[in-house]
């Protein structure tokens, strides 16, 4: 049972997430030959003040 963990900066809509999990599930099915019902996807929304790139929090970037 493949399990994918996806960390996203908060702000994606439920529809965007729905499309993402659909596409990721299909990619696993096509690549690994898994059945769709065996693919688990965990989505984690990360707040901008909990994510940094290049030593700068995203909440502080313009």
């Amino acid at each position: 049972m493949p399990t994918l963990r996806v960390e996203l900066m908060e702000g994606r809509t439920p529809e965007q997430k729905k499309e993402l999990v659909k596409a990721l599930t299909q990619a696993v099915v096509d690549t690994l030959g898994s059945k769709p019902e065996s693919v688990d996807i965990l989505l984690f929304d990360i707040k901008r003040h909990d994510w940094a790139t290049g030593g700068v929090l995203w909440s502080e970037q313009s």
Side-chain angles (χ1 to χ4, degrees):
M1 157 171 58
T3 301
L4 304 177
R5 177 186 172 107
V6 180
E7 297 178 2
L8 302 163
M9 196 170 298
E10 67 180 350
R12 286 3 186 266
T13 66
E15 185 60 33
Q16 288 173 313
K17 291 178 182 181
K18 180 180 176 179
E19 291 300 315
L20 177 62
V21 298
K22 182 178 175 182
L24 290 173
T25 298
Q26 190 60 52
V28 171
V29 168
D30 293 345
T31 305
L32 302 180
S34 301
K35 293 182 179 181
E37 58 272 14
S38 72
V39 179
D40 288 324
I41 300 174
L42 309 173
L43 300 177
F44 293 89
D45 283 330
I46 310 296
K47 296 188 180 300
R48 295 177 70 82
H49 65 264
D50 290 332
W51 192 310
T53 301
V56 180
L57 293 171
W58 275 89
S59 60
E60 297 178 355
Q61 295 183 20
S62 51

